[in-house]
């Protein structure tokens, strides 16, 4: 099995794991504990329309802060206070990346690293690409290290150089913690008073949930 690591766009037609560790991936994984379906939406207006059409909970951020008038932000900690059939979620990077994927698509992060790696192996035929969402096209260290936590479970396979680098970088969990907590993304969240989300996103393997994205919807199984 070929295992590669990319930024923003997947180069696999087989299986892709999207990683937006702070925070979209982690929010999606957490939300599936209390929701059956997540509809990720690129823009705020469409999110509002869909939420009112389906009487859904509406969550999302811009610049990290909760969107005005929404039920909650893109927060894995806060989303645990909500429950329902459908969650409509809009985020700056994570939802946009998912929309662009052409392969089977899974959502991964530190919180489900082992389970998402296992699921990808179950459904892939020859190529798993782990895609770092990044921040507006730029590399983000938290996604690189989150990808490393996932790919560490796939080391028996044919890793490309980026994938191997992420595994090596993620071996020391103490350094991973420091790097993620001092990342630009985390700093922005601390400034908004959302430090609890950073701590939560850094928990390893607390969920075996593996969100799967298909036809514009995210569910546990499709
Ligand atoms: C995103 O999708 O851009 C992020 O998850 C931003 C965030 O809410 O921290």
């Amino acid at each position: 099995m070929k295992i590669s690591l990319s930024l923003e766009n997947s180069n696999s037609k087989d299986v892709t794991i999207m990683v937006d560790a702070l925070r979209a991936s982690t929010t999606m994984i957490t939300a599936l504990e209390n929701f059956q379906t997540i509809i990720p939406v690129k823009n705020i207006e469409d999110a509002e329309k869909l939420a009112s059409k389906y009487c859904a909970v509406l969550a999302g951020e811009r610049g990290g802060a909760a969107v005005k008038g929404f039920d909650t932000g893109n927060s894995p900690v806060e989303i645990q206070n909500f429950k329902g059939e459908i969650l409509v979620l809009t985020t700056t990077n994570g939802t946009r990346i998912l929309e662009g994927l052409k392969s089977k698509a899974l959502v991964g992060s530190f919180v489900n690293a082992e389970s998402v790696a296992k699921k990808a192996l179950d459904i892939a035929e020859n190529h798993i690409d782990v895609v770092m969402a990044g921040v507006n096209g730029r590399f983000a260290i938290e996604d690189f290290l989150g990808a490393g936590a996932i790919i560490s479970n796939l080391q028996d396979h044919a890793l490309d150089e980026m994938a191997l680098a992420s595994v090596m970088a993620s071996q020391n969990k103490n350094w991973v913690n420091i790097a993620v907590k001092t990342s630009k993304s985390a700093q922005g969240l601390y400034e908004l008073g959302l430090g609890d989300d950073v701590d939560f996103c850094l928990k390893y393997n607390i969920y075996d949930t593996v969100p799967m994205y298909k036809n514009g919807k995210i569910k546990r199984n499709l």
Side-chain angles (χ1 to χ4, degrees):
M1 181 76 64
K2 180 176 161 190
I3 313 289
S4 56
L5 177 60
S6 313
L7 175 62
E8 272 212 317
N9 298 303
S10 174
N11 58 41
S12 174
K13 293 196 174 76
D14 188 7
V15 172
T16 300
I17 302 174
M18 191 283 288
V19 181
D20 185 350
L22 292 178
R23 297 165 291 168
S25 289
T26 313
T27 301
M28 290 167 185
I29 298 158
T30 307
L32 284 183
E33 296 295 302
N34 287 340
F35 290 89
Q36 308 213 322
T37 305
I38 301 170
I39 306 180
V41 184
K42 244 193 306 202
N43 71 60
I44 292 175
E45 294 72 31
D46 289 348
E48 285 169 338
K49 276 187 207 145
L50 274 178
S52 80
K53 179 173 164 194
Y54 293 119
C55 291
V57 173
L58 180 56
E61 58 71 35
R62 284 300 176 268
V67 180
K68 201 163 168 243
F70 277 31
D71 298 311
T72 184
N74 170 31
S75 163
V77 171
E78 286 171 20
I79 205 68
Q80 293 172 89
N81 300 322
F82 294 86
K83 209 178 168 80
E85 201 184 325
I86 298 175
L87 172 70
V88 175
L89 176 69
T90 179
T91 72
T92 318
N93 299 289
T95 48
R96 174 174 52 82
I97 306 295
L98 279 178
E99 279 187 14
L101 297 180
K102 305 275 181 290
S103 63
K104 288 182 212 126
L106 308 178
V107 176
S109 194
F110 294 98
V111 295
N112 73 345
E114 261 181 48
S115 308
V116 74
K118 194 164 173 290
K119 183 73 180 182
L121 275 182
D122 284 351
I123 63 172
E125 281 165 28
N126 48 44
H127 183 190
I128 299 167
D129 190 34
V130 181
V131 172
M132 302 175 282
V135 178
N136 301 322
R138 128 182 114 67
F139 174 90
I141 197 164
E142 66 275 13
D143 295 340
F144 180 65
L145 295 170
I150 295 167
I151 299 169
S152 293
N153 299 286
L154 300 169
Q155 285 185 67
D156 297 344
H157 299 272
L159 273 53
D160 77 356
E161 292 183 8
M162 280 271 278
L164 179 60
S166 74
V167 170
M168 292 169 75
S170 64
Q171 291 313 295
N172 184 323
K173 288 190 179 170
N174 194 31
W175 288 4
V176 170
N177 261 280
I178 294 168
V180 172
K181 287 183 175 177
T182 52
S183 67
K184 252 191 178 165
S185 305
Q187 292 307 312
L189 294 171
Y190 290 128
E191 277 165 28
L192 292 164
L194 296 166
D196 286 354
D197 276 344
V198 178
D199 291 340
F200 189 87
C201 291
L202 274 163
K203 291 179 195 277
Y204 285 73
N205 299 313
I206 54 169
Y207 294 123
D208 56 15
T209 304
V210 179
M212 301 180 80
Y213 174 76
K214 195 176 171 191
N215 299 331
K217 291 188 175 138
I218 299 170
K219 294 179 193 247
R220 275 168 179 263
N221 291 300
L222 290 165

